[in-house]
Amino acid sequence: MTDALKHPLSRRRVLQAAAAGVVGLDPALRAAVWAQGSDKPEKEEVKIGFIPLTDCASVVMASVLGIDKKYGVKIVPSKEASWAGVRDKLVNGELDFAHVLYGLVYGVHLGIGGPKKDMAVLMTLNNNGQAITLSKKLADKGAVDGASLAKVMGKEKAEYTFAQTFPTGTHAMWLYYWMAANGINPLKDAKVITVPPPQMVANMRVGNMDGYCVGEPWGQRAIMDGIGITAITTQDIWKDHPEKVLGTTGDFVKKYPNTARAVTAAIIEAGKWIDTGLQNKNKMAETIADKSYVNTSVDAINQRILGRYTNGLGKNWDDPNHMKFYGDGAVTYPYLSDGMWFLTQHKRWGLLKEHPDYLQVATQINQLDIYKQAAAATKTPVPKDTMRSSKLFDGVVWDGKNPKQYAESFKVNA
């Protein structure tokens, strides 16, 4: 794509390419055809909602670095207050796209966690980089990980309150999975509340919850402020797990397919830019720390984005599985099995009453064709398989092959 723009195509060459049809063309030429000719984005300015979290970075940087312009679109990032607000604005069309929780998109598509509307996932924005925080008060009683939390809760009867960020979202599912694997039923043994990400630290400070699961920088911030400890990172629950996605409605994709492709390409390229090295990660941290984006100090963002972790109890480590935005296309590819996993957990926790047609739903939502076209425009390798296999921290393997059996295999459930 970059090469194509360095050497602008003659009108004749663009028209020849358009006449021939873009299929089978050199990806760089095809991208230039999209920007200049028959596949020009139908909507040239798009509003993308985001929540103040480190993993909004590729959306923000696509705009700040002007990568969007290369693909013929202008991205206008729109800071939102809560995931429920993001959901509502996506559904009613106030937002064109959003940096959004994987499970939120799937929930809306099936009519759980909000109004029912056909939804679309265009790409995965990041893997890893969330954490479960326990309060200092709990840590002082000896609850510093899952096993010790179960012990404290078993010994000292009280109402324990934990927070996640949206009922069908990723953080709820990581929190529930972790607690259940340690013998705690999150729906029966605790009270679970919904709190928007930027409000987690303030709520823990005043004692509204004993623990929470959220994206960075709000895990690191609790440690810096001396109010909480990291019990586990989500990459230690599931290495390279899916997290936020670029979401929109099914209607938007049908009406503006070229726009969807152009925006996806710009954000893939921004993710690639972030993951290129230390300098870019530091620049990204400095940019998104600004009050118009995440509104925190740079050091709350840049340590964990570089894999430099501390748990608030004196343990420091370098984590190779920190937040990633590109991973040679493995991060950004919207694997069908990733979406299906959230459905298995929605069924497990009673959010879905019946088993859906797991594969059919994932195939409807995850826009693999648009992703492949955007990947070609950015010279991003596409994985060979639409499914991937992962072993979670409890030793259970998820590969998408038998979702119904998997969903029913857990001893702790709703």
Side-chain angles (χ1 to χ4, degrees):
M1 179 61 198
T2 314
D3 296 343
L5 287 161
K6 276 183 195 155
H7 309 290
L9 298 175
S10 69
R11 179 174 159 74
R12 194 171 134 221
R13 199 167 162 225
V14 169
L15 291 173
Q16 280 173 342
V22 293
V23 181
L25 281 181
D26 165 74
L29 174 56
R30 187 184 327 167
V33 170
W34 290 339
Q36 298 177 30
S38 58
D39 280 349
K40 187 170 177 283
E42 306 88 349
K43 189 169 184 178
E44 292 178 18
E45 184 172 304
V46 295
K47 196 171 173 186
I48 306 188
F50 72 91
I51 291 285
L53 289 161
T54 303
D55 50 31
C56 75
S58 55
V59 170
V60 171
M61 297 314 290
S63 169
V64 169
L65 297 170
I67 295 169
D68 51 356
K69 292 187 189 75
K70 281 173 58 173
Y71 296 94
V73 285
K74 184 187 178 192
I75 289 172
V76 180
S78 174
K79 186 173 177 173
E80 304 299 331
S82 70
W83 290 121
V86 168
R87 172 201 62 201
D88 294 347
K89 289 182 181 183
L90 265 182
V91 166
N92 71 22
E94 279 180 69
L95 294 171
D96 298 311
F97 303 88
H99 149 257
V100 65
L101 299 161
Y102 218 132
L104 183 153
V105 176
Y106 271 66
V108 172
H109 190 87
L110 292 172
I112 55 171
K116 189 177 192 309
K117 189 167 178 77
D118 283 356
M119 298 298 286
V121 164
L122 293 159
M123 63 178 284
T124 307
L125 294 175
N126 68 297
N127 288 170
N128 308 328
Q130 325 295 298
I132 294 174
T133 299
L134 295 177
S135 69
K136 258 291 171 58
K137 195 173 149 196
L138 261 187
D140 290 343
K141 289 179 180 172
V144 296
D145 58 18
S148 52
L149 174 66
K151 205 177 280 183
V152 168
M153 285 175 73
K155 196 169 66 181
E156 210 171 299
K157 296 295 176 194
E159 184 177 71
Y160 291 89
T161 303
F162 295 87
Q164 38 76 13
T165 65
F166 190 79
T168 62
T170 54
H171 304 114
M173 298 307 116
W174 309 140
L175 179 68
Y176 295 177
Y177 197 98
W178 174 74
M179 290 174 84
N182 285 288
I184 305 164
N185 189 316
L187 306 186
K188 293 170 186 164
D189 303 335
K191 181 183 174 190
V192 180
I193 59 173
T194 301
V195 175
Q199 294 173 28
M200 287 291 190
V201 175
N203 273 280
M204 184 171 271
R205 188 179 284 114
V206 297
N208 284 348
M209 81 270 272
D210 300 290
Y212 62 73
C213 183
V214 73
E216 294 302 339
W218 308 119
Q220 173 73 357
R221 188 79 252 174
I223 290 167
M224 290 170 71
D225 293 359
I227 60 160
I229 61 112
T230 294
I232 193 168
T233 65
T234 52
Q235 55 265 30
D236 279 346
I237 295 173
W238 176 355
K239 184 189 160 200
D240 296 334
H241 67 77
E243 187 47 47
K244 306 303 185 300
V245 293
L246 179 63
T248 185
T249 62
D251 291 344
F252 189 95
V253 174
K254 284 186 192 121
K255 195 172 176 186
Y256 307 114
N258 300 347
T259 305
R261 182 177 50 229
V263 170
T264 304
I267 295 172
I268 291 172
E269 189 169 322
K272 189 194 285 192
W273 179 88
I274 294 166
D275 278 6
T276 298
L278 198 64
Q279 205 176 344
N280 290 4
K281 285 180 179 164
N282 277 322
K283 185 178 176 186
M284 175 273 276
E286 284 164 21
T287 304
I288 69 164
D290 188 79
K291 65 174 184 292
S292 51
Y293 302 116
V294 179
N295 192 23
T296 191
S297 58
V298 177
D299 58 346
I301 295 172
N302 68 5
Q303 294 306 297
R304 289 193 168 185
I305 203 70
L306 298 171
R308 295 174 192 150
Y309 275 76
T310 179
N311 70 347
L313 294 163
K315 182 189 169 194
N316 302 294
W317 72 101
D318 285 325
D319 191 338
N321 305 314
H322 53 76
M323 191 182 290
K324 294 187 171 75
F325 292 88
Y326 184 67
D328 212 23
V331 170
T332 50
Y333 185 72
Y335 289 96
L336 298 181
S337 55
D338 285 359
M340 289 161 66
W341 186 85
F342 290 103
L343 294 178
T344 68
Q345 299 307 298
H346 293 163
K347 177 67 180 74
R348 175 186 183 182
W349 299 115
L351 292 157
L352 283 170
K353 302 303 171 207
E354 306 294 331
H355 288 283
D357 185 329
Y358 292 92
L359 183 57
Q360 186 188 31
V361 172
T363 306
Q364 279 171 358
I365 298 174
N366 291 23
Q367 306 291 310
L368 297 182
D369 288 347
I370 286 180
Y371 178 84
K372 282 174 192 162
Q373 293 163 357
T378 54
K379 297 191 171 75
T380 295
V382 174
K384 289 184 178 71
D385 201 342
T386 60
M387 304 278 195
R388 61 176 176 146
S389 178
S390 308
K391 186 189 275 191
L392 277 68
F393 82 125
D394 54 1
V396 179
V397 173
W398 165 247
D399 57 15
K401 284 183 184 146
N402 196 334
K404 186 180 175 186
Q405 187 185 323
Y406 178 85
E408 289 176 349
S409 68
F410 296 99
K411 287 194 186 100
V412 182
N413 48 48

